[in-house]
Structure formats: C-alpha cells, structure tokens
Amino acid sequence: MTIKDIASICGVSVSTVSRVLNNRPDVSEEVRQRVLAAVEAKGYIPNNSARDLVRSRSDAIGVIVRGTGNLFFAEMLKTVSKEIENKGYTMVLQFIDSGADEVKAGAILEREKKLRGLIFLGGRFDYTPAELALVGVPYVCCSYTNCFGSLREEDYSSVSIDDYRTAYAAVEELIKLGHRRIAALVSGCSDRSISELRYNGFRAALRDNGIDYDPALLVETGSFEMPEAYEGMSALIERGTEFSAVFTLADTTALAAIKALSDHGRSVPEDCSVIAIDGLRVSEYVNPTLTTMVQPAEDMGRQSVQILADVLEKGAPARHLRLEAKLRPGASVKHI
Amino acid sequence: MTIKDIASICGVSVSTVSRVLNNRPDVSEEVRQRVLAAVEAKGYIPNNSARDLVRSRSDAIGVIVRGTGNLFFAEMLKTVSKEIENKGYTMVLQFIDSGADEVKAGAILEREKKLRGLIFLGGRFDYTPAELALVGVPYVCCSYTNCFGSLREEDYSSVSIDDYRTAYAAVEELIKLGHRRIAALVSGCSDRSISELRYNGFRAALRDNGIDYDPALLVETGSFEMPEAYEGMSALIERGTEFSAVFTLADTTALAAIKALSDHGRSVPEDCSVIAIDGLRVSEYVNPTLTTMVQPAEDMGRQSVQILADVLEKGAPARHLRLEAKLRPGASVKHI
C-alpha cells in the first residue's frame, strides 16, 4: 500500500493525500475525511524517509521547559508539541529545574541534536548578548521577555503576556471589591524575573489607588512551588498581620495559599479573598473556583512555534508578541 | 576549551569528565562538583557530534502520551524525559487524544523518526498480535497492561499498578468507614480498559463485603475529562438517588465530582465521602485534601525506561512489573 494507492482509491491526487497527511489547511473537509477513512481502512502508514533523505539539515526544534512542577507549561506543551509536528519538525524536549540555566541547557542540546531552533518555556528576564552568544540558532522566549536584560529586540523573539499589567489588573480587581489590606505571595520582589514584574504591578496598583504599601504583607518564598507557598502563607497568618485579600503569582500557589488559610480556620472567600494568574483548567474544578487572570496558553504556544517557523523558513525578522490575559471570574474573591 | 582541558584543570582523566557529563553514578560527589565547577567557570559545552557520528543507529526513543488533559502523565513525563536523557537516548514525544490510536501513532513515529524503541504512556488493554505487528521496535506499555488482549507476555513489556486491586482497596477503605451506598464515577464498565478493570475491583469489593450492587449508583461518563465527570455527577445527584460516598477513577475526576457535590449544596466529607486513584501533587493542596491511592509515577516512568534500555542494550527479555499503589490519607472521606 503506497500513497499512490490511497490517492487512486479516493480519486484524488497524490499531493492531495500528502496535504491531508501533513495536516495542511488547503483541503476540503469532505476530501480530508475520505482520505483519512481510506488510510484507516487500508492500514496505510506514511513513509517519510524519502523526505528525510532529501532534507539536508536536521528538522529538530528544541524545547526547554523550566520548572518541572509547572502545570501551566504542562498544559502549553501539548500545543507546542502538536504545532511543531504539524509544521513538519521534530520536537526535542528537555525539562530542567526552575533554578537551572536554560541557556546552557539549550546550547548543549543545540550541539548534541543539531537543532534548527529553540523554544524556551520559561527563563530569566536578564540575558546579556554575551550569554546568548552560546546559542547559535534562532530562539523564542515563550511566556517571558528580556526586559531586565540587554539583548537587542531584533536578536530574539518572545511571546508573553504583559506581566506588569496583568498583576496590576488582578490587584485592581481586589481593590474594586473594597480590599485595602492586600498581601502579596511572590517568589521574589527583586529577582529580575516574572515575580519582580508582577510584584511591581501589585505595587503600582496599590499606589495608583492611594493605598499605602505595608511591607509586612509581603511574602517572598523564593519559588513557585506549592510547599513553599503553603509555608509562606502559614507564616504570614501566624504573625497575626491583618489582611483581607491575597494576590498570588500562579494558580498552584493560590491553591496552596487557600489551603494554608483553611488550615488556619479562615474560609475563602468569606474571611479572605484570593486572586491568581494562570487560568489552569483544574482551577475551575477546585473549591472555591479560583478567580484568576487567564494566560492564553494555547495561543502563546502556537504563536511561539509560528514565529520560529517564520524565522527559519522565510527569514522573517524577530517578533515580540504581547497577548492579553483575561479575568476568569471564580468564587475565591468577595466584596467587603 | 575541550574535554581534555577540563580534565587537566581538574586533575582527573578525560573519561572521568565524560562520566560526570553523562550523569553516570560511578564518580565521587567531590570529583563531580569539581568537574561541574570547572565546566561552569570555563563555559565548556560538551560536543557529542563525534559520538553521534560513530553511532550507526538512531538514538531516538518515542514516547506517545495518550490523553492530552491527563495530569498524571504530565507528572510522569518529566521522569521519563530525564531517564531517557540520562541513558544517552533522544526522546521524541507525541501527544494524542485520549480516544486516538496509540499503536498507529507509534508505528508512524517509528518510521518517520527511525525509533529504536517506544514507550506508550496510556493505551488500550486489548491489543492483538496483528495490530501490534505494525510496531517493529521493542515497546513498553506504561501504566497499563494487555489483560483484555491476546499478546504473548514475552512479546511486550509493561509497567503498571494492579488496577483491579487498587480499586478494590479504595472501595474497601470506604466500606471500612461504614459506607454501603457507594456511587462509582467511571469512564465505562465494559470498555476493556483501565476503567473496566477498576470498575471490576469496585464490584468485587462490594460483593466480598456483602453489599448489593445498585446499578442506579453507576455513572459512566465515557472519558476521564473533568467537564464530563462534573456533568455525570450532577446528573446522579439530580436523579435523587441516595449515596454517602463516591469512588472515582482519577484525582481530576474526583475534583470535578467534589465540585458538583458542592454546587448542589453537599459538603465533602460531611455529606459525602470521595476517594480517588492517582495521587497528584496538586491533590494535596485542594480543599478538602483528596484521599487517594497514589500511583508511584516516578518509579513507573523510571522502570519503563530501564526495561526498554535493557531490551535494547542487553537483549533482555520482556518484563512485566506491577508496582504498588498506596493510600494517601486526606480529608475527603469520613466515618459514618
């Protein structure tokens, strides 16, 4: 059974069958279904060896996922994987710890696997050109930017939300609900990372609404992990500092915060409101449903692959996309 | 900067540096730290091209993840990825929908990427030798077996928990707490899959404890997805059938069930107990903490890669490992 047999059975051209098998959009749904049914019925397996032989370069795209416990990246990875596949590349995936050096990991992977490009899911915000000189292929920073670094805009691509504005909007939502004693559960507030950006958004929202910042309401945990978030929140409660709401950087740390509040006899949202950033699917099924700023994970993953493909195939210039995070109302906040 | 320079700086042999860089265990911690410090300080990047050139065959191992919304596989994937890397192979990953054909996906991937082996994270339990003839390389069924199929034991490997016994133990836990009206939230009870096995364990636990099975307490959702679990559970509640406990197949569907109960004015565990199977990390941080049978995800992932490597490198025979799932007590069950 060859591709010609399938084409003949379906009464279409070989190139039409090829387009269907490569998930190309320029085929009618009716023809697509007919071809797939024939492929299914005949047990045909496309043989892409010929294509592999013709291709002179590797088709490998490296994906480095930073933070092995990050459910947001876990959700995004499926989209990235499918898009890389759909465009005819091979994904080479590597997970690294949240504190590990993604640039070095990417540079090693590039040489070992002869990568054509790289997508970093998560990374530092303060790259220097010297550091990135290790990476010899085009790359896209997915979910972060280089706003604390010194790369030239034209030398790299990025896809992310506006972390500062998203945090600002989340905190303003709490303020609109009457909260003024708002705690912030962050990784760090001067770590030149996503946490610092979101912390700055938090501070700005307080300031613009005439609320004095109380350093006693800041919890720095040094990570995005749930155990640390739980401990940090518990310590804040045990210090006896009063607050009526908590701003958290991520859905998972929000869940840990809610757990800590609950274990200390405080109900959410009755005794304390909690708001987050991420919009995981599981957060719609927890109790209470999480009120959170949804990052468009699928769109971020898809656009990252698209930008890289455009650079590789069309020599397109580097791009920087800022996508919008939207509030998903839940039941973890309350008007006071 | 070459590997020889690093060896000379550290006063060790080239092969010692190589062992450190390949994460081999046979190096003292002191030497490992010294070598890594030198690698770091000198910005040395290992170049494995020579190894790649010598190697006559591909080093690619395919991993097919079935069920894109499956958080259990998302947790396991990190271990599988790291273990494949540590053993010097390249992981080629593909996500497929929970209803998709993993054998065909694997067979296509095998030809396209010239795989040496395959690991299926999730799949059907009823393969026939004819179907699996499509796959020409050794493979490991991770998290499932072929107990409804007709493969010979020596022709494939598997790593999983005992689904029947694990479900049995979960339901017996509810019975020990005094529950007799126990609902079961399953994907299907005769789908020749993990769901049927766990359903059979549920039925056996009832029977062995002298509890009549009431078909009105069975909810079949056709999937492991949260929206369907939520709908199924809501429908059961709305039918007015009485029950004091729910057995669910997965942590995520348990969360959806708890949400449905809560939205219908029933508290867990006060008004209804809920028990699950999986043991996700996030389940320790939900409210109430989930009582669940923990699958040893890391061990399952590690052993799957080990078995495949043994088959590929030593010609070891196929193996079938049954690992134990253990109860992680939470706050979602209550004595009545």
Side-chain angles (χ1 to χ4, degrees):
Chain A
M1 185 61 46
T2 69
I3 192 167
K4 282 187 195 167
D5 299 325
I6 296 291
S8 153
I9 290 166
C10 299
V12 300
S13 68
V14 165
S15 70
T16 298
V17 176
S18 171
R19 284 204 299 278
V20 171
L21 295 176
N22 288 299
N23 276 311
R24 292 262 295 275
D26 48 349
V27 185
S28 77
E29 192 51 33
E30 185 267 324
V31 168
R32 181 184 307 277
Q33 290 307 328
R34 188 142 44 96
V35 170
L36 290 177
V39 165
E40 175 77 33
K42 301 294 174 188
Y44 169 68
I45 293 175
N47 189 328
N48 291 355
S49 306
R51 188 174 72 185
D52 285 351
L53 289 174
V54 176
R55 227 178 242 165
S56 58
R57 305 179 61 180
S58 141
D59 65 353
I61 289 184
V63 176
I64 309 273
V65 182
R66 194 171 186 244
T68 54
N70 191 310
L71 291 183
F72 177 68
F73 290 147
E75 286 197 4
M76 186 186 276
L77 191 56
K78 295 152 209 161
T79 306
V80 170
S81 163
K82 288 196 173 172
E83 292 295 318
I84 288 177
E85 168 100 3
N86 287 347
K87 293 194 181 298
Y89 295 97
T90 296
M91 179 172 84
V92 177
L93 176 67
Q94 189 164 37
F95 291 94
I96 61 173
D97 292 334
S98 54
D101 184 339
E102 71 279 3
V103 175
K104 186 168 287 180
I108 292 174
L109 204 64
E110 177 195 332
R111 282 152 185 77
E112 284 198 8
K113 311 298 182 190
K114 304 181 179 58
L115 302 181
R116 293 199 53 197
L118 268 165
I119 296 175
F120 294 108
L121 294 196
R124 283 166 44 220
F125 284 64
D126 58 350
Y127 295 148
T128 61
E131 287 173 303
L132 267 294
L134 286 176
V135 175
V137 292
Y139 60 94
V140 179
C141 300
C142 180
S143 82
Y144 67 111
T145 68
N146 197 241
C147 60
F148 294 114
S150 54
L151 297 183
R152 294 186 313 170
E153 289 251 313
E154 58 266 39
D155 287 341
Y156 76 108
S157 293
S158 71
V159 176
S160 75
I161 59 167
D162 184 322
D163 289 290
Y164 177 92
R165 280 175 181 278
T166 302
Y168 189 103
V171 175
E172 198 149 59
E173 181 68 19
L174 294 173
I175 296 170
K176 270 194 268 172
L177 294 169
H179 297 279
R180 296 182 69 83
R181 298 284 301 165
I182 302 171
L185 180 65
V186 304
S187 175
C189 59
S190 57
D191 59 0
R192 293 157 64 96
S193 82
I194 202 163
S195 182
E196 176 170 346
L197 279 177
R198 293 181 182 176
Y199 167 78
N200 289 342
F202 159 77
R203 287 292 300 269
L206 293 183
R207 186 192 61 225
D208 293 353
N209 286 277
I211 300 173
D212 285 340
Y213 166 66
D214 180 355
L217 292 178
L218 177 68
V219 181
E220 284 184 279
T221 67
S223 85
F224 276 71
E225 301 296 324
M226 290 185 285
E228 285 79 359
Y230 180 88
E231 292 306 323
M233 198 65 215
S234 295
L236 177 69
I237 299 165
E238 287 158 17
R239 282 203 298 273
T241 321
E242 273 179 48
F243 56 92
S244 67
V246 184
F247 161 68
T248 67
L249 298 191
D251 279 14
T252 45
T253 53
L255 297 182
I258 291 171
K259 186 80 188 156
L261 286 160
S262 165
D263 288 352
H264 288 79
R266 303 201 196 177
S267 292
V268 174
E270 291 74 13
D271 306 320
C272 182
S273 291
V274 175
I275 200 162
I277 298 175
D278 266 350
L280 299 180
R281 282 197 58 201
V282 72
S283 307
E284 299 185 68
Y285 291 94
V286 293
N287 196 12
T289 314
L290 207 54
T291 300
T292 181
M293 302 294 298
V294 181
Q295 300 200 61
E298 282 195 19
D299 207 21
M300 289 168 75
R302 189 177 303 113
Q303 299 277 11
S304 295
V305 178
Q306 186 64 55
I307 288 177
L308 188 58
D310 286 347
V311 172
L312 294 176
E313 292 162 18
K314 303 177 189 162
R319 287 171 66 198
H320 297 275
L321 272 190
R322 291 298 149 266
L323 301 176
E324 197 187 351
K326 289 200 179 119
L327 182 72
R328 186 168 76 199
S332 64
V333 299
K334 173 175 166 280
H335 204 290
I336 59 167
Chain B
M1 184 63 44
T2 69
I3 191 165
K4 283 186 194 165
D5 298 326
I6 297 290
S8 155
I9 290 168
C10 299
V12 300
S13 69
V14 166
S15 69
T16 299
V17 176
S18 170
R19 284 206 298 279
V20 171
L21 295 175
N22 289 298
N23 275 310
R24 290 263 296 276
D26 47 350
V27 184
S28 77
E29 191 52 32
E30 185 267 321
V31 168
R32 182 186 306 279
Q33 291 306 328
R34 188 142 43 98
V35 169
L36 290 177
V39 165
E40 175 76 32
K42 302 294 175 190
Y44 170 68
I45 292 174
N47 188 328
N48 291 355
S49 305
R51 187 175 74 187
D52 286 351
L53 288 174
V54 176
R55 225 178 242 163
S56 58
R57 304 177 63 179
S58 141
D59 65 353
I61 289 184
V63 176
I64 310 273
V65 182
R66 195 171 186 243
T68 55
N70 191 311
L71 291 184
F72 177 68
F73 290 147
E75 286 197 2
M76 186 185 276
L77 190 56
K78 295 152 210 163
T79 306
V80 170
S81 163
K82 288 196 172 172
E83 292 295 318
I84 288 178
E85 168 99 2
N86 287 347
K87 293 193 181 299
Y89 295 97
T90 296
M91 178 172 83
V92 177
L93 176 69
Q94 187 163 39
F95 290 94
I96 61 174
D97 291 334
S98 54
D101 184 340
E102 71 278 3
V103 175
K104 187 168 287 181
I108 293 173
L109 205 64
E110 177 194 333
R111 282 153 185 75
E112 284 198 8
K113 311 298 182 191
K114 305 182 179 57
L115 302 181
R116 292 199 53 196
L118 268 165
I119 295 176
F120 294 108
L121 294 195
R124 283 166 44 220
F125 284 64
D126 59 349
Y127 296 147
T128 62
E131 287 174 304
L132 266 294
L134 286 176
V135 176
V137 293
Y139 60 93
V140 178
C141 301
C142 179
S143 83
Y144 67 111
T145 67
N146 197 240
C147 60
F148 295 113
S150 54
L151 297 183
R152 296 187 312 171
E153 289 250 314
E154 58 265 40
D155 287 342
Y156 77 109
S157 294
S158 71
V159 175
S160 76
I161 59 167
D162 184 322
D163 288 291
Y164 177 91
R165 279 175 182 277
T166 302
Y168 190 102
V171 175
E172 199 149 59
E173 181 69 18
L174 294 173
I175 296 171
K176 270 194 268 174
L177 294 170
H179 297 279
R180 296 183 69 84
R181 298 284 300 165
I182 302 172
L185 181 64
V186 304
S187 175
C189 58
S190 56
D191 59 359
R192 292 158 64 95
S193 82
I194 202 163
S195 183
E196 177 170 345
L197 279 178
R198 293 180 182 177
Y199 167 79
N200 289 342
F202 159 76
R203 288 292 300 270
L206 293 184
R207 186 191 60 226
D208 293 353
N209 286 277
I211 299 173
D212 284 340
Y213 166 67
D214 180 355
L217 293 179
L218 177 68
V219 181
E220 285 185 278
T221 67
S223 86
F224 276 71
E225 301 297 323
M226 290 185 285
E228 285 79 358
Y230 180 89
E231 291 305 322
M233 198 65 215
S234 296
L236 177 69
I237 299 165
E238 287 158 17
R239 282 204 298 274
T241 321
E242 272 179 48
F243 56 93
S244 68
V246 184
F247 161 68
T248 67
L249 299 190
D251 279 14
T252 47
T253 55
L255 297 183
I258 291 171
K259 186 80 188 156
L261 286 160
S262 166
D263 288 352
H264 288 79
R266 302 201 196 178
S267 292
V268 174
E270 290 75 13
D271 306 320
C272 182
S273 291
V274 175
I275 200 163
I277 298 174
D278 266 349
L280 300 179
R281 282 197 59 199
V282 72
S283 306
E284 298 185 69
Y285 291 93
V286 294
N287 196 12
T289 314
L290 207 54
T291 300
T292 180
M293 302 293 297
V294 181
Q295 300 199 60
E298 281 195 20
D299 207 21
M300 289 168 75
R302 188 176 304 113
Q303 298 277 11
S304 296
V305 178
Q306 186 65 54
I307 288 177
L308 188 58
D310 286 347
V311 171
L312 294 176
E313 293 162 17
K314 303 178 191 164
R319 286 172 66 198
H320 297 275
L321 272 190
R322 291 299 149 265
L323 301 176
E324 197 188 349
K326 290 200 179 118
L327 182 71
R328 186 168 77 200
S332 65
V333 299
K334 174 176 166 280
H335 205 290
I336 59 166

